[in-house]
């Protein structure tokens, strides 16, 4: 090999080495792009408002931006998505606050409804008690009139009781006297009855004697 050919060969070696490095780098780049593409496709079924609230959202954005850079995308969707990120997050927060307000409103409405039910119940109770009070007032007035009537009747009964009490003493005395007279009469009746029985027995005995006498003639 001539000196000139040797020099030419030495000049070609770096070029071949650089070509091999470029080819290897391109292959790794293609593999990385495909890997990123597969990973990013796994987020396809996730809604944007769910994606924004994920804790790994920043990593996903970096991954997507890296994919666009490696794939030399003509339009950077990720940069546009980054612009909407704050608006979307604020919208999600507003939606959450809206839900909280709606829940609070429902809670307060339910509470107000329950309070109104209690108010209605208390009002009905007050009305019922007022009507009952009116009815009781009428009853009390009627009872007072009845009490006055009963007191008059009681006074009359007391007067009659005193009269009957006096009559009862007199009747008891008369009854006691009548019982004494009754006992006297009964005692005499018993004495007369005993005498009558004794006389009848004597008559019967005398009759027997008389019959015997006649039988002996």
């Amino acid at each position: 090999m001539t000196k000139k050919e040797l020099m030419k060969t030495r000049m070609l070696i770096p070029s071949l080495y650089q070509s091999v490095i470029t080819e290897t780098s391109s292959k790794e780049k293609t593999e990385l792009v495909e890997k990123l593409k597969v990973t990013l496709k796994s987020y396809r079924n996730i809604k944007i408002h769910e994606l924004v609230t994920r804790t790994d959202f920043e990593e996903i954005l970096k991954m997507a931006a890296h994919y666009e850079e490696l794939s030399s995308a003509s339009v950077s969707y990720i940069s546009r998505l980054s612009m909407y990120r704050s608006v979307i997050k604020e919208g999600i927060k507003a939606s959450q606050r809206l839900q909280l307000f709606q829940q609070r409103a429902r809670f307060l409405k339910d509470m107000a409804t329950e309070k109104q039910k209690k108010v209605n119940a208390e009002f009905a109770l007050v009305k019922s008690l007022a009507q009952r009070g009116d009815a009781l007032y009428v009853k009390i007035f009627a009872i007072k009139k009845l009490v006055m009537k009963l007191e008059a009747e009681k006074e009359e009964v007391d007067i009659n009781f005193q009269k009957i009490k006096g009559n009862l003493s007199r009747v008891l005395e008369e009854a006691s006297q009548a019982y004494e007279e009754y006992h006297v009469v009964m005692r005499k009746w018993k004495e007369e009855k005993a005498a009558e029985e004794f006389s009848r027995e004597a008559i019967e005995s005398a009759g027997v004697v008389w019959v015997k006498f006649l039988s002996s003639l």
Side-chain angles (χ1 to χ4, degrees):
M1 181 179 291
T2 64
K3 186 177 181 180
K4 186 176 181 181
E5 290 175 343
L6 181 61
M7 290 295 291
K8 188 177 181 180
T9 303
R10 285 179 178 177
M11 290 178 65
L12 287 172
I13 288 174
S15 298
L16 291 171
Y17 180 72
Q18 184 67 34
S19 177
V20 171
I21 292 174
T22 302
E23 184 179 352
T24 303
S25 177
S26 178
K27 183 179 180 182
E28 288 178 351
K29 178 181 176 182
T30 302
E31 290 178 353
L32 180 57
V33 168
E34 288 300 320
K35 185 178 179 181
L36 288 172
K37 187 175 182 180
V38 171
T39 304
L40 291 169
K41 280 185 176 181
S42 65
Y43 300 107
R44 182 178 296 170
N45 294 327
I46 301 177
K47 303 290 184 181
I48 186 62
H49 66 276
E50 295 174 352
L51 188 65
V52 171
T53 57
R54 287 174 65 99
T55 56
D56 59 347
F57 178 65
E58 294 294 336
E59 287 75 8
I60 295 172
L61 278 185
K62 289 178 181 178
M63 190 188 309
H66 191 40
Y67 169 79
E68 285 186 342
E69 182 182 356
L70 291 175
S71 63
S72 300
S74 58
V75 180
S76 179
Y77 294 103
I78 299 307
S79 61
R80 291 169 61 185
L81 180 60
S82 299
M83 294 172 57
Y84 293 121
R85 178 176 54 184
S86 59
V87 178
I88 292 172
K89 282 188 174 181
E90 185 58 33
I92 291 172
K93 290 180 180 178
S95 178
Q96 292 173 346
R97 290 193 297 270
L98 179 61
Q99 289 180 357
L100 289 175
F101 284 132
Q102 287 176 341
Q103 292 175 356
R104 181 66 176 170
R106 284 195 297 268
F107 173 75
L108 292 175
K109 182 180 179 181
D110 293 340
M111 182 182 290
T113 302
E114 290 299 321
K115 294 292 184 183
Q116 186 61 43
K117 287 181 180 178
K118 290 182 179 180
V119 168
N120 294 339
E122 292 295 330
F123 180 76
L125 182 60
V126 168
K127 184 178 179 181
S128 175
L129 288 174
Q131 292 176 346
R132 186 180 176 189
D134 292 340
L136 287 174
Y137 176 79
V138 173
K139 288 183 179 180
I140 289 171
F141 181 76
I143 289 171
K144 284 183 177 179
K145 289 185 66 177
L146 180 60
V147 167
M148 291 176 62
K149 182 180 179 182
L150 291 174
E151 286 178 348
E153 291 182 1
K154 182 179 179 299
E155 186 177 355
E156 183 180 355
V157 168
D158 288 341
I159 293 172
N160 291 331
F161 176 78
Q162 293 300 327
K163 289 181 180 179
I164 292 172
K165 186 178 177 181
N167 292 335
L168 180 61
S169 294
R170 180 174 54 80
V171 171
L172 284 174
E173 185 179 353
E174 291 177 355
S176 177
Q177 184 177 354
Y179 268 110
E180 288 181 3
E181 292 177 357
Y182 167 75
H183 287 305
V184 171
V185 170
M186 285 300 295
R187 188 171 57 254
K188 289 182 178 181
W189 177 80
K190 288 179 180 179
E191 289 175 356
E192 294 297 330
K193 184 177 181 183
E196 189 267 339
E197 288 178 352
F198 180 76
S199 175
R200 187 172 57 253
E201 290 175 357
I203 291 171
E204 289 178 356
S205 298
V208 171
V209 171
W210 175 249
V211 170
K212 288 182 178 180
F213 169 72
L214 293 176
S215 297
S216 65
L217 293 180

